[in-house]
Amino acid sequence: MSQKIFRKGFLALAVTTALSISSVVEADIVIGVAGPHTGANASFGEQYWRGATQAADDINAAGGVNGEKIKLVKADDACEPKQAVSVANRLVDQDKAIGVVGHFCSSSTIPASEVYDEAGIIAITPGSTNPQVTERGLSGMFRMCGRDDQQGIVAGDYIVDVLKAKKVAIIHDKDTYGQGLADATKAQLAKRGVKEVLYEGLTRGEKDFNALVTKIRASGAEVVYFGGLHPEAGPLVRQMREQGLTAKFLSGDGIVTDELVTTAGGPQYTKGVLMTFGADPRKIEDGKAVIEKFRAAGFEPEGYTLYAYASLQALAAAFAGAGANDPAKASEWLKSHPVQTVMGKKEWDGKGDLKVSDYVIYEWDDAGKYHQQ
Amino acid sequence: MDGIILQQLINGLTLGSVYGLIAIGYTMVYGIIGMINFAHGEVYMISAYIAAITLAILAFFGLESFPLLILGTLLFTIAVTGVYGFVIERIAYKPLRNSTRLAPLISAIGMSLILQNYVQLSQGARQQGVPTLLDGALKFHIGEGFVQLTYTKVFILVAAFLGMAVLTYVIQRTKLGRMCRATQQDRKMASILGINTDRVISYVFVIGAAMAALAGVLITMNYGTFDFYAGFIIGIKAFTAAVLGGIGSLPGAMLGGIILGIAEAQFSGMVNTDYKDVFSFSLLVLILIFRPQGLLGRPHVAKV
């Protein structure tokens, strides 16, 4: 009898020791920040990282989540699907992340999210807009931005209603994001009775699009819609202007960085370029204090910076709301509760999409900056 | 369709002349040591960075007239890139001179990765750009349509053909060229007859790098943007051009580059941009089937 009590006591002691040890070891909530930290799209990775680190600092300063501090891990996918899967595996197996902010390119997010789904962790992408990101029924996949089919509707309507164009050339970069966006715009144009005069793909990584530009010129297009990213958009718009093509240039959220001007070779080429992007989060009152913090540190929170900040806020809120660091419970919580972020109140539907998206048109000026119209 | 075909011809010619310049580096190295220098695309990429840095320095010292600016940039970039070519050969290929044929090929691929990462780490992964140096364009009206040609493109065409002409003269008429040709014909015999073949191989790497540097300055001027990854695609295209023209043949590399550039542009214009690379590589396969030595290459005759 006494032996039994002793054994029970020993067991209880062992369990409490183990618990206290494990709570010392896992005193941090590990969150991965996955995106193109290197490569041609590294500026978006920098926006992600800046946004997420600032958010983590602010949340940790306010006491953390469930009494634990958030620890961020940088995961570089260089916008390559293969690398995205391998960093996703590393986040899950080695770093033991329970949440991920990322990725950026839809072609990376889609395969990586399969890994997160298998490991049962929660992921929220600040910037992947392809519909397939949330359409596949993964329970822990969310996004902080709109979808290409919403973005395409705004672009298509703008071309028809404001630019009043009859002839539209649609160019894409043959990538999941770029072509998906181009197709969404094409569908909306078709719905509004405009058939494109040209629909073609260019190759990512190339710089010479002169042959394509000549073809656009021959098609007589008044508007060129481009689905793709700034490393190709810049040279494309420059070569259009160099060949004397004055058609309007409209693109999506893949060019929302000052680097567009660098890749085009100066603001004289990007002047008048139009793009669709979520309403400028810097204009929302909720984020004022945070934006001041970024600016004080010498970083302008452009593009996806605040999206990344808000994504981490949403993750923290979900874990706090679930009351435990359980990704499955957190996903469930996030699908039924709104979260107050730097970008205002955000609410998700059952798929993980935002209930309200707010795409608007921006225009680039002759000083190389973009402004909401 | 007025002027469209002509415009595409100009597009193809400017692109092709640059392919040709880079192809020279592949073809000369192959001609002399029978090895494909897969790090050559990266030499071009590095020259773009050197050109941009030189431009910035010259502009900082208040040099603003275009001829002086471009001449200074060209000379400095060619010199520094030439040094890169020399050093790359010393580090990655010379120690492997008498090993199996596979070893230098693999060390070339390794060199290419090292150079890419070295530039990424030292210069950052972001896109880099230079402002337009030469504003304005020529415009010709043809029927209803027009052909537009920027001054930059005119400059590129002239400079590229001038570069090729100078190189052809050097190879055909000077002592250095004679040494190169002799080494290419028979390395062992040339060295018996008193030519320092190791030095000739170094020269060839420097010449190839200099041509890639010329291409780097010209493309940087034309597109205004580049990154650490810029050497990959253009390297593959230039390699294709060298094989198309007959690898080992100098006029073949230039011709191959121009044919490839024009074929790409005309195919994009008339059929489809999506499949232009498929078309270029199909063209290469067809030529290799019917003329395995390439357009201007000489068939390899084994001496018995």
Side-chain angles (χ1 to χ4, degrees):
Chain A
M1 187 69 184
S2 69
Q3 214 180 356
K4 217 174 188 179
I5 291 173
F6 172 75
R7 219 197 274 154
K8 253 186 189 165
F10 180 77
L11 214 65
L13 196 73
V15 167
T16 38
T17 330
L19 273 179
S20 67
I21 287 175
S22 74
S23 71
V24 168
V25 171
E26 292 174 9
D28 295 320
I29 295 186
V30 179
I31 307 274
V33 180
H37 298 295
T38 63
N41 294 298
S43 54
F44 291 114
E46 192 188 1
Q47 292 174 6
Y48 270 30
W49 184 247
R50 288 276 193 159
T53 43
Q54 185 65 51
D57 288 349
D58 291 351
I59 294 166
N60 287 342
V65 180
N66 296 333
E68 294 178 11
K69 300 273 187 234
I70 291 180
K71 191 180 148 224
L72 297 182
V73 179
K74 206 183 227 182
D76 176 26
D77 68 12
C79 260
E80 282 173 17
K82 243 190 341 209
Q83 199 168 328
V85 171
S86 71
V87 294
N89 277 314
R90 202 201 72 204
L91 281 177
V92 170
D93 297 334
Q94 248 177 46
D95 301 319
K96 310 283 177 214
I98 56 168
V100 174
V101 172
H103 297 221
F104 176 69
C105 289
S106 296
S107 49
S108 294
T109 311
I110 293 172
S113 60
E114 309 268 347
V115 177
Y116 304 137
D117 187 55
E118 225 162 83
I121 66 174
I122 180 170
I124 176 162
T125 168
S128 287
T129 49
N130 189 283
Q132 284 304 316
V133 170
T134 50
E135 283 293 326
R136 291 161 305 146
L138 304 182
S139 57
M141 186 73 226
F142 294 83
R143 65 175 128 213
M144 202 64 207
C145 53
R147 293 160 52 115
D148 288 338
D149 34 14
Q150 298 162 336
Q151 194 167 182
I153 290 172
V154 175
D157 285 344
Y158 188 81
I159 291 170
V160 175
D161 296 333
V162 181
L163 300 177
K164 306 215 183 298
K166 297 272 180 292
K167 289 183 168 179
V168 183
I170 298 178
I171 311 296
H172 59 83
D173 64 0
K174 298 192 265 193
D175 193 53
T176 311
Y177 161 75
Q179 190 163 8
L181 182 58
D183 286 345
T185 307
K186 181 181 148 150
Q188 181 63 16
L189 283 172
K191 208 185 255 175
R192 299 292 307 272
V194 175
K195 168 105 179 71
E196 75 278 359
V197 289
L198 188 73
Y199 177 84
E200 281 196 14
L202 49 78
T203 307
R204 272 177 73 179
E206 281 199 352
K207 297 277 178 270
D208 190 295
F209 307 122
N210 275 305
L212 182 60
V213 167
T214 303
K215 207 172 174 187
I216 297 172
R217 223 178 70 191
S219 75
E222 304 151 88
V223 172
V224 176
Y225 185 81
F226 177 65
L229 303 166
H230 69 277
E232 287 78 37
L236 178 62
V237 74
R238 176 190 180 132
Q239 287 159 33
M240 276 169 59
R241 302 300 178 240
E242 280 182 349
Q243 275 195 35
L245 185 64
T246 51
K248 280 271 179 197
F249 187 86
L250 174 63
S251 186
D253 60 323
I255 63 168
V256 55
T257 161
D258 285 346
E259 270 188 55
L260 177 73
V261 183
T262 315
T263 57
Q268 72 270 35
Y269 296 109
T270 53
K271 181 176 177 260
V273 166
L274 300 159
M275 75 177 169
T276 50
F277 185 50
D280 193 343
R282 285 172 289 184
K283 289 190 173 158
I284 299 167
E285 282 296 309
D286 304 44
K288 210 156 212 175
V290 174
I291 291 165
E292 284 313 314
K293 268 188 210 168
F294 278 112
R295 289 189 178 146
F299 182 78
E300 178 58 34
E302 62 157 351
Y304 282 105
T305 314
L306 293 175
Y307 284 74
Y309 190 104
S311 299
L312 194 66
Q313 279 185 312
L315 281 183
F319 283 121
N325 298 333
D326 179 348
K329 278 189 192 148
S331 308
E332 232 168 84
W333 186 90
L334 202 56
K335 279 178 183 170
S336 50
H337 294 80
V339 175
Q340 199 60 42
T341 72
V342 275
M343 293 167 55
K345 198 169 100 175
K346 297 287 177 187
E347 260 184 294
W348 286 266
D349 63 14
K351 283 185 202 161
D353 282 325
L354 284 175
K355 280 188 178 163
V356 186
S357 86
D358 52 354
Y359 281 113
V360 291
I361 301 281
Y362 285 75
E363 187 169 6
W364 294 71
D365 65 13
D366 48 8
K369 299 278 168 219
Y370 53 90
H371 304 283
Q372 190 173 328
Q373 273 194 342
Chain B
M1 285 300 280
D2 288 303
I4 294 299
I5 290 181
L6 189 61
Q7 178 85 58
Q8 291 293 23
L9 200 66
I10 293 169
N11 295 340
L13 209 58
T14 29
L15 186 61
S17 62
V18 173
Y19 284 165
L21 281 179
I22 304 174
I24 287 170
Y26 284 103
T27 223
M28 284 184 78
V29 167
Y30 183 85
I32 223 149
I33 53 175
M35 181 205 103
I36 307 293
N37 177 14
F38 276 114
H40 193 57
E42 267 54 59
V43 173
Y44 150 77
M45 177 270 294
I46 283 180
S47 76
Y49 275 88
I50 298 169
I53 293 168
T54 319
L55 270 175
I57 293 172
L58 291 180
F60 179 78
F61 285 114
L63 202 64
E64 271 174 11
S65 89
F66 175 75
L68 280 178
L69 201 59
I70 199 70
L71 198 70
T73 309
L74 265 176
L75 289 178
F76 190 73
T77 308
I78 287 175
V80 177
T81 314
V83 173
Y84 266 97
F86 180 79
V87 173
I88 289 170
E89 196 267 336
R90 272 297 147 92
I91 294 175
Y93 310 125
K94 191 158 180 244
L96 297 171
R97 188 85 80 229
N98 297 314
S99 56
T100 60
R101 284 173 68 99
L102 211 54
L105 196 76
I106 293 167
S107 95
I109 294 172
M111 197 70 210
S112 145
L113 291 175
I114 290 172
L115 290 174
Q116 259 181 37
N117 287 288
Y118 149 70
V119 172
Q120 188 189 350
L121 287 173
S122 62
Q123 301 294 322
R126 310 193 85 187
Q127 294 276 325
Q128 309 282 333
V130 290
T132 320
L133 297 177
L134 202 56
D135 272 321
L138 296 168
K139 198 170 178 177
F140 306 103
H141 288 272
I142 297 172
E144 301 266 301
F146 64 91
V147 170
Q148 188 152 327
L149 186 59
T150 55
Y151 292 145
T152 315
K153 282 216 180 71
V154 178
F155 180 79
I156 286 170
L157 282 171
V158 173
F161 283 103
L162 217 61
M164 290 182 192
V166 168
L167 184 68
T168 313
Y169 175 81
V170 168
I171 296 296
Q172 298 297 337
R173 300 262 176 241
T174 64
K175 193 176 159 212
L176 172 66
R178 216 157 45 233
M179 271 156 57
C180 286
R181 281 180 291 143
T183 313
Q184 174 168 5
Q185 266 178 14
D186 192 331
R187 198 160 93 211
K188 205 173 262 169
M189 197 61 196
S191 100
I192 290 171
L193 292 177
I195 293 174
N196 185 345
T197 48
D198 271 344
R199 192 172 295 164
V200 173
I201 292 170
S202 290
Y203 287 148
V204 164
F205 269 86
V206 171
I207 293 172
M211 288 293 137
L214 177 59
V217 175
L218 297 179
I219 299 193
T220 307
M221 270 182 69
N222 195 14
Y223 306 134
T225 169
F226 52 90
D227 53 51
F228 70 97
Y229 201 57
F232 180 70
I233 285 193
I234 208 150
I236 292 221
K237 289 281 172 68
F239 172 59
T240 312
V243 176
L244 186 70
I247 192 140
S249 150
L250 204 56
M254 302 171 194
L255 183 73
I258 287 165
I259 288 180
L260 192 70
I262 291 177
E264 267 185 18
Q266 294 295 358
F267 183 83
S268 312
M270 285 181 212
V271 190
N272 197 312
T273 319
D274 296 78
Y275 293 103
K276 77 169 165 47
D277 293 347
V278 178
F279 173 73
S280 326
F281 288 107
S282 310
L283 187 76
L284 177 70
V285 170
L286 273 180
I287 286 178
L288 288 181
I289 289 173
F290 292 107
R291 213 185 138 73
Q293 69 274 30
L295 289 174
L296 297 186
R298 280 194 212 101
H300 183 76
V301 184
K303 283 168 223 150
V304 186

